[in-house]
Amino acid sequence: MISATGDGRTLTIALFVVFIVITLGVTFWARANTRSADDFYAGGRMFSGAQNGVALAGDYMSAASFLGIAGLIALSGYDGFLYSIGFLVAWLLSLLLVEMMRNAGRFTMADVLSYRARSRPKVRTAAAVSTVTVSVFYLLAQMVGAGALVSMLLGIHSGGTFLGVSGEAAEVLTIAGVGVMMIFYVMFGGMKATTWVQIIKAVLLISSTVVLTALVLGRFGFNLSTMLGAAADASGSSGFLQPGGRYGQDVRGDTVRTVLNKLDLISLALALVLGTAGLPHIVGRFFTVPDARAARRSVNWAIGLVGVFYLMTLALGFGAAALVGEKAISEQDPAGNTAALQLAHELGSHLGGRLGGDLLLAFIGAVAFATILAVVSGLVLASSTSLAHDYFGHVLMLGRPRESQEVAVARVAAFLIGTLAIMLAVVARNLNVAFLVGLAFAMAASANLPAIVLSLFWKRFTATGALAGIYGGLAGSLLLVLLSPVVSGKVDPETGRNLSLLPKGVDFQLFPLENPGLVSIPFGFLCAIAGSLLSREKAEPQGYDELSVRSLTGLGAHRPA
């Protein structure tokens, strides 16, 4: 188990302070240049395709990517890489849908969903509920990653003390500190500050990952096969490089469990691939560019950067398995969230002794910290924007609020959502962050994707269908998660360690799959279709035709529906 030395801890804190000072400067600059709702929600639509593409990649390459996936690969081998594949393939669908969403909307997903609806306030309310729910679950992953990251960098561990408080209390305070900072960024800087923080973070993350990848491959003579072989040998498992180590496992003598494991794998894959286009903070980022051409360039930049990054997670994960070892990774964090940081310490120590290890660990840790702060800011902004613009502006104020009122409500909403995320993250701080993201993706695909797809492509889709799809998909995914092994009843058969959120002994598990996507995504589509066909409300062909033109051309996209 590694722990920051006195000099390493000082260096880490210094780098954290440098990043915080820089981002605070960006936030104060953005605050001085944010004068309207358009500035706060969409950054004044001033960002180029390249700038927004880098920010979009930064939004997408979260703590789950940098910390969770590396840990999953290090502990589970081949199967851990499935997250990387799913996240990357997801952009194929997003390439189509997100650009159309940008053309058809103004600030939020609800702008598109309510365009054809007669009951617009109800649709906007449903969209706001879904946006906040999905964003909060995604926030949990980032906050949990923050706790694991800073605890390791500052030498905080269970049973120990830090500055006079217990290790667990110090980790809780760390999560709260990250939450306070993200609230500050959003409340004062809006989209302009969030976008520039994302750009800074993306550049740092890609650069540091390139450095780590080069150092890892250098240890094995830049021979990928040698690295994989060393990782397999260190794992002690003959199937480390084969599928089935974590997902889709064959259980000898138990056909039912074998089938369920394979279905769980399919469920996870569906959630990762289909969830991206329904993530509110990804959709909202496309409203920051001036036109559809810039939106397409954004996607091209994002796909390139995201593709390169996820290929490099192979080196991070398998390199950690080979050089750090499964035992050391599990002892530091059973979920594997610190594998990339332990790898950085090992590589730095190999090059420059203890000082080299502390230096590289501090730098990579600061980059991961920047990653978390940037992503959580985007998520809080998406949630607060939906509450202020959709619910307050169009439901409570009947579409006639003053811009100053909307922005003020957005700032208050950012504070409330951030506070809720802090409290929930404290409870869920022992779960793997990549797994938490998988749940958020499943909810986005179940609740948001059916309404988005049918609104854009089905002429008979109605407001009732939108409500049924959003609430049905959201409730279905939440209920299945609640009744799944994630929440209760899962115990490691070899060690007896509790693997669920609730304490050992609490077991109300009824749904056998860990990811609900396989059931909840079709259920969301079924609810949306049934709601449209069974309601007395009639679809308006003219509204569909107008939305089709708007989604394909962007004409009138900046005006309210």
Side-chain angles (χ1 to χ4, degrees):
M1 179 180 292
I2 69 170
S3 179
T5 64
D7 292 339
R9 184 179 297 175
T10 301
L11 183 59
T12 299
I13 295 174
L15 287 175
F16 279 15
V17 170
V18 168
F19 175 77
I20 290 170
V21 169
I22 292 173
T23 53
L24 287 179
V26 171
T27 301
F28 284 118
W29 167 84
R31 179 72 177 89
N33 290 274
T34 298
R35 300 179 178 85
S36 65
D38 207 54
D39 289 331
F40 188 87
Y41 295 147
R45 309 186 197 277
M46 57 170 280
F47 294 99
S48 68
Q51 290 172 332
N52 193 55
V54 175
L56 187 61
D59 235 338
Y60 201 65
M61 297 181 300
S62 64
S65 303
F66 194 52
L67 302 176
I69 292 178
L72 282 174
I73 294 175
L75 297 179
S76 305
Y78 175 91
D79 281 13
F81 191 53
L82 293 175
Y83 273 91
S84 295
I85 298 172
F87 286 150
L88 182 56
V89 172
W91 282 100
L92 298 177
L93 177 63
S94 300
L95 183 62
L96 168 66
L97 291 183
V98 173
E99 183 184 339
M100 296 181 70
M101 290 283 289
R102 181 259 163 225
N103 286 342
R106 189 180 180 217
F107 295 131
T108 66
M109 172 182 70
D111 289 333
V112 180
L113 301 184
S114 64
Y115 189 86
R116 297 168 51 192
R118 292 180 178 178
S119 303
R120 290 178 179 175
K122 292 182 180 179
V123 173
R124 286 190 179 272
T125 300
V129 169
S130 178
T131 294
V132 172
T133 304
V134 171
S135 297
V136 166
F137 268 85
Y138 208 158
L139 274 171
L140 290 184
Q142 316 309 319
M143 306 291 283
V144 169
L149 164 69
V150 181
S151 295
M152 193 194 85
L153 293 176
L154 298 182
I156 301 171
H157 55 86
S158 180
T161 60
F162 180 76
L163 297 180
V165 300
S166 67
E168 287 194 359
E171 186 174 353
V172 170
L173 291 174
T174 296
I175 292 173
V178 172
V180 170
M181 292 185 63
M182 75 177 177
I183 292 169
F184 180 84
Y185 290 148
V186 175
M187 287 182 67
F188 289 92
M191 181 59 85
K192 286 185 178 180
T194 300
T195 300
W196 282 112
V197 170
Q198 290 284 15
I199 291 173
I200 294 170
K201 161 259 175 132
V203 172
L204 287 174
L205 182 59
I206 290 290
S207 302
S208 61
T209 308
V210 169
V211 170
L212 280 183
T213 300
L215 292 176
V216 168
L217 293 178
R219 290 283 296 271
F220 299 97
F222 291 93
N223 188 319
L224 184 61
S225 178
T226 302
M227 181 189 72
L228 294 176
D233 293 339
S235 73
S237 171
S238 59
F240 190 70
L241 301 180
Q242 303 296 325
R246 183 183 179 92
Y247 305 111
Q249 294 175 321
D250 290 324
V251 181
R252 186 172 301 176
D254 192 341
T255 304
V256 174
R257 188 67 256 175
T258 297
V259 171
L260 289 175
N261 286 342
K262 296 185 183 305
L263 290 177
D264 217 347
L265 171 60
I266 297 173
S267 187
L268 172 64
L270 281 175
L272 296 179
V273 172
L274 299 179
T276 300
L279 290 175
H281 68 298
I282 297 296
V283 173
R285 179 143 300 287
F286 280 85
F287 298 125
T288 64
V289 293
D291 52 43
R293 183 179 181 184
R296 284 193 297 273
R297 290 193 63 198
S298 295
V299 176
N300 292 337
W301 272 88
I303 289 176
L305 293 173
V306 168
V308 170
F309 175 79
Y310 283 128
L311 284 176
M312 292 190 292
T313 59
L314 271 174
L316 300 184
F318 286 114
L323 299 176
V324 180
E326 179 182 354
K327 182 179 179 181
I329 294 171
S330 298
E331 286 179 352
Q332 185 80 53
D333 182 354
N337 294 325
T338 59
L341 301 167
Q342 292 173 272
L343 175 64
H345 187 270
E346 167 63 27
L347 294 171
S349 299
H350 180 76
L351 289 175
R354 191 181 75 173
L355 178 61
D358 287 344
L359 181 62
L360 190 55
L361 174 63
F363 176 71
I364 299 301
V367 171
F369 185 66
T371 297
I372 292 167
L373 285 177
V375 173
V376 295
S377 298
L379 289 163
V380 172
L381 181 61
S383 300
S384 58
T385 296
S386 184
L387 285 176
H389 176 65
D390 296 325
Y391 186 70
F392 174 78
H394 285 82
V395 178
L396 297 183
M397 300 297 291
L398 305 176
R400 295 186 293 272
R402 293 198 302 270
E403 285 195 352
S404 59
Q405 288 178 313
E406 266 201 23
V407 172
V409 170
R411 291 189 167 117
V412 173
F415 173 79
L416 296 176
I417 292 167
T419 302
L420 175 63
I422 291 172
M423 292 188 294
L424 292 176
V426 169
V427 177
R429 64 185 182 276
N430 293 321
L431 295 181
N432 183 277
V433 291
F435 174 73
L436 287 171
V437 168
L439 295 182
F441 273 58
M443 291 177 185
S446 304
N448 296 341
L449 186 65
I452 291 172
V453 170
L454 296 176
S455 181
L456 291 172
F457 297 107
W458 190 29
K459 187 173 288 190
R460 294 188 61 183
F461 192 55
T462 65
T464 304
L467 294 174
I470 292 173
Y471 286 129
L474 190 62
S477 58
L478 283 171
L479 179 62
L480 292 178
V481 169
L482 181 65
L483 299 177
S484 75
V486 176
V487 175
S488 69
K490 185 179 181 182
V491 178
D492 190 315
E494 297 181 1
T495 65
R497 185 169 67 92
N498 180 49
L499 300 177
S500 297
L501 182 60
L502 295 180
K504 188 175 180 180
V506 179
D507 186 0
F508 48 83
Q509 177 196 150
L510 295 176
F511 183 66
L513 305 183
E514 293 190 7
N515 191 289
L518 184 63
V519 177
S520 61
I521 295 173
F523 182 70
F525 274 96
L526 180 63
C527 287
I529 294 171
S532 295
L533 294 178
L534 298 178
S535 69
R536 296 180 180 180
E537 177 186 2
K538 292 184 178 180
E540 297 180 2
Q542 182 180 355
Y544 172 78
D545 294 338
E546 291 176 355
L547 181 62
S548 296
V549 173
R550 185 164 170 163
S551 66
L552 294 173
T553 65
L555 294 176
H558 297 173
R559 297 192 302 270

